[in-house]
């Protein structure tokens, strides 16, 4: 999740080399038309559509450690339904 402006938030996918977000107004932004993050975002949106567009509050959030000895440490947010 990122704040693009004080009044505009977006959720999305990013890697060290790509990024894509969907803004709260529905606009999708990506670093390129063939962005791996854009394809990941499309996969997420398709799964959400196929699940019947469940409400955000129906998901269970879990933080999962990210990174390894080769890269930066951090956290990934995983949602289950």
């Amino acid at each position: 999740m990122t704040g693009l402006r004080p009044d505009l938030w977006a959720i999305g996918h990013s890697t060290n080399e790509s990024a894509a977000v969907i803004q709260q107004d529905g606009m999708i932004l990506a670093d390129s038309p063939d962005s791996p993050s854009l394809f990941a975002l499309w996969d997420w949106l398709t799964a959400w559509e196929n699940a019947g567009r469940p409400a955000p509050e129906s998901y269970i959030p879990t933080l999962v450690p990210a990174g390894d000895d080769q890269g930066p440490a951090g956290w990934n947010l995983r949602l289950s339904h």
Side-chain angles (χ1 to χ4, degrees):
M1 183 166 197
T2 186
L4 301 175
R5 295 191 312 253
D7 60 340
L8 183 61
W9 289 92
I11 59 171
H13 181 275
S14 65
T15 69
N16 289 339
E17 296 153 2
S18 69
V21 297
I22 183 167
Q23 299 175 168
Q24 63 196 55
D25 64 2
M27 181 176 285
I28 295 175
L29 304 172
D31 58 311
S32 71
D34 62 345
S35 169
S37 290
L38 179 58
F39 290 117
L41 187 60
W42 278 117
D43 286 344
W44 293 348
L45 288 170
T46 299
W48 177 70
E49 289 276 345
N50 291 340
R53 297 182 171 198
E57 57 272 6
S58 70
Y59 287 92
I60 300 166
T62 304
L63 289 175
V64 179
D68 55 29
D69 294 338
Q70 305 300 315
W75 296 93
N76 287 323
L77 173 63
R78 298 285 185 238
L79 298 176
S80 59
H81 190 254

